[in-house]
Amino acid sequence: MDKPLSASAQRVQDALAELGFNLQVIELPASTRTALEAAQAVGCQVGQIVKSLVFRALRSDRPILVVASGINRVNESVITRQIGEPLGKADASFVRERTGFVIGGVPPVGHLESLETFIDQDLMQYSQVWAAAGTPNAVFELTPENLIRMTGGKLVKIT
Ligand code: 5CA
């Protein structure tokens, strides 16, 4: 029998099931904390890793989620324009308090509150991608189309 998932990874597995997705969270012995490590651990291109980056909308004090290809750097002015208010960095405690997950394991779904989400259009070129699943060792594989459906996010050119 498979080893049980850690509590945070199980929360992501449960969230996926609740959203109606039959996708499998896996916990790996190797670190998946960074996009590069995750790509090495699962054996895919770094571009196929879904980075779930939390920013802070400064006027409304809301967390904003940007899901980006592992090779891309987010142009914050693109997101500022989308949300119509200034954007700041989220520090580790803001990320943990508002999403329920630690940096390095933030998943695209299953957060404490629902987050306004923007999706990097560059992810759409891949047939399969991999996202973090609640811990720096947990990931799941999905299609970019399912990433859009499960997050309700808006596709944007984030670079
Ligand atoms: N598990 C991997 C791949 S799925 C992962 O979560 N990668 S990530 O890129 O989405 O998460 C790491 C990101 O957290 C970094 O790219 C960086 O934007 C952010 N980060 C890392 N350290 C800090 C920090 N001290 N404060 C705020 N954000 C940070």
Side-chain angles (χ1 to χ4, degrees):
M1 212 178 103
D2 289 345
K3 241 169 81 183
L5 294 172
S6 67
S8 293
Q10 186 63 49
R11 274 194 285 139
V12 178
Q13 183 69 83
D14 293 346
L16 290 170
E18 261 166 52
L19 289 163
F21 293 93
N22 181 22
L23 296 168
Q24 190 67 52
V25 170
I26 57 171
E27 268 182 317
L28 297 165
S31 169
T32 58
R33 185 181 306 275
T34 67
L36 180 60
E37 286 176 336
Q40 287 169 343
V42 303
C44 71
Q45 296 174 56
V46 181
Q48 287 173 277
I49 298 296
V50 178
K51 297 193 285 192
S52 296
L53 304 173
V54 179
F55 291 89
R56 188 171 189 158
L58 294 177
R59 205 145 47 219
S60 55
D61 198 31
R62 289 177 297 148
I64 303 288
L65 184 67
V66 180
V67 295
S69 165
I71 51 172
N72 282 345
R73 192 183 147 72
V74 178
N75 177 353
E76 294 181 26
S77 67
V78 170
I79 309 302
T80 302
R81 210 174 311 128
Q82 289 285 339
I83 64 174
E85 63 177 299
L87 193 72
K89 303 263 183 238
D91 65 17
S93 58
F94 181 82
V95 173
R96 185 166 24 80
E97 280 160 25
R98 300 297 289 270
T99 72
F101 297 99
V102 295
I103 285 171
V106 177
V109 291
H111 313 112
L112 293 174
E113 57 188 289
S114 100
L115 309 186
E116 184 171 3
T117 301
F118 297 96
I119 303 172
D120 181 354
Q121 64 178 27
D122 285 356
L123 286 167
M124 297 302 121
Q125 69 189 283
Y126 303 106
S127 57
Q128 295 287 328
V129 295
W130 291 84
T135 81
N137 294 88
V139 288
F140 66 102
E141 188 177 23
L142 72 169
T143 62
E145 291 73 24
N146 277 346
L147 184 63
I148 299 173
R149 284 176 54 219
M150 72 176 62
T151 61
K154 182 176 179 183
L155 265 188
V156 289
K157 182 181 183 313
I158 59 123
T159 51

